[in-house]
Amino acid sequence: MPTSDVPDVSVVVIVYNDEERLPRAVRSLLDQTLNNLEVIIADDCSTDGTERVARALEASDPRVRYVRLEQNSGGCSAPRNRGIEVARAPYVMFLDSDDELPRHACKSLLLVAEETGVDFVTGEVTRLFEETNTTGLWYPHLFTEKRVVNGIAERPEYFFDHLSTNKLYRTAFIRDNALTFPEGIHYEDQLFSAQAFSLAETFAVVPWSVYTWRLAPESVSISSSRHKIQNVADRIGVARLIDAWFEENGRAELRAEKDYKFLRHDFRLYLGDLPFRDLEWIAEFAEVVNPYLDEISDETFARLSREERICIHLLRTGRLEELQAAARQLGRPQLAPRFATYEGDVTYWGAVAPADDASRSELDISEWYMREQVLATGRIRHELTSVTMLGPVLRLEIRTYDPAGLIAEGTKASVKLAAHKKPLTVPLTLHPEGEGQYVSKAEVDLRKVPVGKAGVATRRHPVIALERDGAGRTDILLAEHDQPDFRATVTYHKFGIHHLRVKAEQKGAGRLEVTWQRSGVLKSLEPLGPMARKAKGKVGKVRKILVGNEGKATAYDAVSKLPRKRSLAVFEAMEGRGYADSPRYIYEELKRRNLPIDVVWAYSGDRSSFPEDVTLVRRGSFAYGRALARATYWVDSHNLPYLYPKPKGTRYLQTWHGQTFKAMGFDVPSLRGASEIEKGRFRAAVGRWDALVCPSAEFERTFVPAFEVSADLIRSGYPRNDVLVRWAEPEQQARAASVREALNIPADKKVLLYAPTFRDAARRTGQSVRVDFEALAPNLSDEWIIVVRTHPYDRFKIAPELGHFLRDGSSYADINDVMLASDAVLTDYSSLMFDYANTGRPIILYTDDYEAYKGGDRGTYYDLEEIAPGPMVTTTEDLAAAVRDLEGTQERHAQRYARFQEMFCSYETGHASKMVVDAFFEGGTHD
């Protein structure tokens, strides 16, 4: 055969009785950007119309070849092996007939294979859940960057990547090593992949998706048959085959890493299923798995989480009922054990401490700090003991387990169930019954759950909410897997007929689950056909014009032509996120003077931080536009939406929300290089400002020219910083004490506020939190509590095992609350450092990614090493040392701190609110 006839890649598509989906799989190959490939359809002797469909595909494209096994093998191995035999290309891949390859998969993998010369290339897998049309990634931490690995011993974590379908292999590598898929067993991929990883001198990894694994709602695959004991035996059987192969081929040193993968993946799947199995099944499971577990080393078990080790210990010691309860905790760190036993400083899982030393070690949960937790982060457990339903009314009996003693006097409890937006809230009375246990009852009338005007088609889970002293939490409500299903038909309003189903969730933790299904007239809102979707699209466009930005702009323009309402002012802080920042303190100064100004505050989302007597308007609503159009004063800390030009006669006070370390405005390359239209919009938005509050001469030097500000400058300092300058006054001291009490900070502990800024390219990821709290805790938790306050553009959740050491400060809309309560601050590049310097308290900077940050797209105005008011630390050890010796740390940086205050606090006097009101409201000119 001429060389030009040799394909670059052969893709083996295995199929059995799948005539409907096979064309989709093959089409994903024929549409590849790599054109020179061959598609080998390997049919495992189908009995439906698969052969007819496959031959039609073969006839339609010369790249398709069809091979058929003479008899059905009952698995995936034989057809794949047949495909390997007949493949003509130097590289080969495998595809199942119910899955697909992304369009660039073959070409991108081939380019990497040819560039690197590796034995195979592996890439990410996208799991497509067909029922919800959502996706997830297969072990994404393995595919974060492109790399070449010099053998599996260098990166043994790739044993977790045991699929054969997300890889492009050199055909010669497979044939020279006589690699075949084992026939007559299930989980054949695992043995094949373990052998391939072990034999490969080098393999490459790419961080993009190369395979789409489609998961049907009612999957009947081998891997979804975990409820069968034979399935358990099959997984252990293939694990033993891998062990034997390692031994026979002189690779016994890889056994421990394979065992770790087995425990963390294969075995872990069954542990997660145990809440949905009866005790008879669990007993059989124990008989099958325990002999294999006995062969795994103690060192390998020690690498598992404490929850996993507890489950394994209970399994191996025959405590099967306790095992069922423990298995619900896996991956759910806020879920408590039913009971805990305390002996001095040691805490044990379970009601009675074990007698033998081995059990004591396995069930020691002291590392969870159960008794040192606070309500927001500690462990608790709510279980349904009875569920009945009378018509549309659910009757719930609940047992709450509180082994950590989180529930105290004044704790309010409720059941919450939401179907649309606002939840139905049903109060609970917790009755003590035994140590650390409470019972309660609730009647949930499903007719009272808000479903919106059009009703809903959704699935939701009731939660238990606990609140005390401003702190709160919500937790799942666990159901027994075999509880009865209940059904009801509910009419919510004239046409709001819904069919409801209440049952126990058969996955995850096993929550109580309520499903709504529209009926009657509302049924028409279910998935639409093409014509209906087109009509809906037209309606949507009309609606967008009427109630979207176009409609709001039209209404605003009309109202803004009316005379100003001289007494009206619109205040907004942090884009409506709360009652905070400089607008708060200006507003309070207006109230102190009793000036005749009616203030409307804009909010977006949570309104809890605003005083009860404040008039509120939702940011972005028509009412918001009307208020802006009529107001004489605008006061804002960020920048009001571009949508609203300033009407004639309105005066706009811009307080801004911090001094600038990183480049802003036209100093940012993305804006400097933007279109003239975009730059014009920015200039117009800033051009609305009549006055700008300035905290320092440095702010004038950087921010003012960067934004091309033409507004009058009020050189007063920030009104929000008045309380920081005057932190020692009784009012501020009382405010700090209130925060410490609300956060349950013991009187003998000092407070370190950790407030990192966000990273431009990683918003909402939590990547701004750089400190290793787990490593830091042993060094500081005896004297310090860290209050974590991330930027609103980022997110962070405290792990329960660190609840004794960390507190979440995000519930405070005004960050001044937590700054006043702190003894020192830990930040990185946040403008908070400029404000905090007004207190004179220590500032520590955690800057392990400083080079990357200052070299980013945005850039910075300063070299932090030159201006830093405190130490720049990059390791846990250095951070702990700086905090431990805080007095010495501050003394060593005293001169730098004073210079920092002179640069960035030069206008701060503690009376900025008065100066701003004097200048803008009483001293300013009014059109």
Side-chain angles (χ1 to χ4, degrees), residues 200-218:
E201 292 184 12
T202 58
F203 61 90
V205 180
V206 297
W208 55 82
S209 181
V210 301
Y211 194 86
T212 302
W213 181 2
R214 301 183 71 104
L215 297 162
E218 299 296 333

Side-chain angles (χ1 to χ4, degrees), residues 105-120:
C106 291
K107 177 175 278 190
S108 64
L109 289 173
L110 178 63
L111 289 173
V112 174
E114 293 178 334
E115 172 193 345
T116 60
V118 295
D119 292 318
F120 63 85

Side-chain angles (χ1 to χ4, degrees), residues 163-432:
L163 302 177
S164 65
T165 48
N166 61 327
K167 299 172 179 65
L168 175 82
Y169 307 86
R170 278 197 306 112
T171 308
F173 166 71
I174 292 179
R175 290 173 176 165
D176 292 349
N177 287 286
L179 262 178
T180 59
F181 289 88
E183 299 184 19
I185 68 169
H186 294 309
Y187 300 109
E188 69 291 329
D189 268 24
Q190 297 207 18
L191 178 57
F192 182 89
S193 294
Q195 292 172 336
F197 274 120
S198 303
L199 291 167
E201 292 184 12
T202 58
F203 61 90
V205 180
V206 297
W208 55 82
S209 181
V210 301
Y211 194 86
T212 302
W213 181 2
R214 301 183 71 104
L215 297 162
E218 299 296 333
S219 178
V220 292
S221 67
I222 298 297
S223 59
S224 66
S225 302
R226 297 196 302 267
H227 61 288
K228 299 177 181 178
I229 289 295
Q230 184 58 48
N231 184 273
V232 184
D234 289 339
R235 277 195 192 260
I236 293 176
V238 79
R240 289 192 182 280
L241 288 174
I242 296 171
D243 298 339
W245 190 88
F246 283 161
E247 194 68 35
E248 293 166 4
N249 289 272
R251 305 306 303 271
E253 76 280 2
L254 297 175
R255 167 75 191 267
E257 293 295 341
K258 189 275 322 176
D259 284 346
Y260 178 66
K261 176 265 175 185
F262 172 81
L263 292 173
R264 288 289 294 118
H265 178 86
D266 303 86
F267 180 70
R268 173 66 175 76
L269 293 172
Y270 296 106
L271 284 185
D273 291 338
L274 294 185
F276 315 106
R277 308 283 184 253
D278 57 38
L279 291 177
E280 182 179 352
W281 192 96
I282 297 175
E284 289 186 65
F285 174 71
E287 288 183 18
V288 173
V289 301
N290 278 340
Y292 192 68
L293 295 179
D294 290 342
E295 300 175 19
I296 296 175
S297 69
D298 291 342
E299 291 78 12
T300 302
F301 285 123
R303 296 171 64 182
L304 303 178
S305 70
R306 176 62 65 179
E307 287 90 344
E308 289 168 322
R309 281 156 35 209
I310 287 171
C311 287
I312 290 173
H313 178 75
L314 296 174
L315 176 69
R316 298 174 76 180
T317 54
R319 297 162 65 173
L320 304 185
E321 288 190 51
E322 294 174 274
L323 170 60
Q324 264 192 317
R328 289 185 185 260
Q329 291 176 235
L330 295 170
R332 299 170 189 90
Q334 286 195 287
L335 189 59
R338 288 173 174 168
F339 309 102
T341 299
Y342 300 97
E343 290 187 359
D345 294 333
V346 182
T347 306
Y348 295 102
W349 191 96
V352 180
D356 64 280
D357 290 339
S359 288
R360 283 177 175 270
S361 173
E362 292 300 323
L363 300 179
D364 183 344
I365 56 173
S366 302
E367 65 196 53
W368 293 352
Y369 297 94
M370 294 276 287
R371 290 183 293 186
E372 298 177 49
Q373 302 288 345
V374 295
L375 180 64
T377 58
R379 295 175 182 254
I380 208 160
R381 186 186 193 104
H382 306 284
E383 292 186 1
L384 279 167
T385 55
S386 174
V387 186
T388 57
M389 194 166 178
L390 182 61
V393 179
L394 266 179
R395 293 178 176 175
L396 310 176
E397 295 183 13
I398 302 164
R399 182 171 292 272
T400 296
Y401 295 92
D402 179 28
L406 301 174
I407 297 173
E409 185 177 353
T411 302
K412 297 179 180 179
S414 60
V415 177
K416 293 181 180 289
L417 177 59
H420 181 55
K421 292 181 180 178
K422 184 178 179 181
L424 170 68
T425 300
V426 179
L428 284 179
T429 300
L430 301 176
H431 300 283

Side-chain angles (χ1 to χ4, degrees), residues 879-901:
L879 173 57
V883 176
R884 282 286 194 191
D885 184 26
L886 197 60
E887 188 174 329
T889 297
Q890 191 169 22
E891 185 176 333
R892 286 189 293 275
H893 292 81
Q895 289 186 348
R896 295 175 63 89
Y897 199 111
R899 189 163 61 249
F900 187 84
Q901 288 178 312

